[in-house]
């Protein structure tokens, strides 16, 4: 009984110290830099849709505005929110402003592979993780 209590106590102490890995959580649109850099005034809604995908926030009262919202929560519990907003005049992109998480999906995939949480393609050769 004493050994079980000691083991349970040690488990709680280790978990509280942050030694146990906590996966970062991304929600929303993770936009790629190369796609955002291709935005130009005058692009049609269909062209923007093919570059960035559908916006997660759809406002029925402001259909000329698309909001791409993403959040990131890291192991410290802090949550960061970024919003990229696009405005259209008719069917053409007029302007955009805001921030996004550039290449967050690539970084997240690399981090998950480091811990072995993502399946690897069987046909692709395995490479050691870079950095560290």
């Amino acid at each position: 009984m004493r050994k079980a209590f000691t083991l349970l106590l040690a488990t709680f102490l280790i978990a509280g110290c942050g030694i146990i890995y906590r996966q970062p959580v991304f929600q929303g649109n993770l936009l790629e830099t190369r796609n955002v850099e291709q935005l130009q005034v005058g692009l049609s809604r269909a062209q923007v849709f093919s570059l960035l995908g559908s916006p997660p926030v759809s406002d029925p009262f402001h259909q000329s505005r698309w909001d791409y919202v993403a959040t990131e929560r890291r192991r410290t519990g802090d949550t960061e929110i970024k919003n990229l907003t696009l405005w259209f005049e008719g069917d053409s992109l007029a302007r955009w402003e805001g921030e996004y998480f550039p290449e967050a999906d690539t970084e997240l995939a690399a981090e998950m592979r480091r811990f072995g949480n993502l399946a690897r393609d069987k046909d692709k050769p395995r490479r050691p993780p870079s950095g560290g």
Side-chain angles (χ1 to χ4, degrees), residues 26-79:
F26 288 91
Q27 292 182 322
N29 289 79
L30 295 178
L31 305 174
E32 295 184 20
T33 302
R34 70 173 191 251
N35 292 341
V36 175
E37 288 175 349
Q38 291 181 44
L39 291 176
Q40 298 176 14
V41 172
L43 289 178
S44 70
R45 289 177 189 254
Q47 290 171 317
V48 172
F49 181 85
S50 70
L51 285 173
L52 304 181
S54 64
V57 178
S58 178
D59 186 350
F61 300 107
H62 301 99
Q63 294 182 359
S64 62
R65 175 181 166 162
W66 287 5
D67 289 295
Y68 291 87
V69 180
T71 62
E72 173 190 24
R73 189 182 76 216
R74 289 284 177 177
R75 67 185 296 171
T76 60
D78 295 334
T79 301

Side-chain angles (χ1 to χ4, degrees), residues 17-131:
C17 293
I19 295 174
I20 296 178
Y21 174 73
R22 290 188 188 104
Q23 180 174 337
V25 177
F26 288 91
Q27 292 182 322
N29 289 79
L30 295 178
L31 305 174
E32 295 184 20
T33 302
R34 70 173 191 251
N35 292 341
V36 175
E37 288 175 349
Q38 291 181 44
L39 291 176
Q40 298 176 14
V41 172
L43 289 178
S44 70
R45 289 177 189 254
Q47 290 171 317
V48 172
F49 181 85
S50 70
L51 285 173
L52 304 181
S54 64
V57 178
S58 178
D59 186 350
F61 300 107
H62 301 99
Q63 294 182 359
S64 62
R65 175 181 166 162
W66 287 5
D67 289 295
Y68 291 87
V69 180
T71 62
E72 173 190 24
R73 189 182 76 216
R74 289 284 177 177
R75 67 185 296 171
T76 60
D78 295 334
T79 301
E80 185 177 359
I81 301 171
K82 293 195 178 184
N83 186 27
L84 179 67
T85 304
L86 286 69
W87 285 272
F88 293 88
E89 291 178 1
D91 188 49
S92 298
L93 180 63
R95 65 184 174 99
W96 62 94
E97 66 180 38
E99 296 181 305
Y100 63 101
F101 294 105
E103 307 304 332
D105 53 348
T106 307
E107 292 173 17
L108 182 61
E111 187 172 341
M112 293 301 99
R113 281 195 184 94
R114 193 172 114 210
F115 290 98
N117 293 352
L118 285 181
R120 290 181 171 81
D121 291 335
K122 293 178 183 176
D123 299 335
K124 290 185 179 179
R126 291 183 66 180
R127 293 185 297 170
S130 60

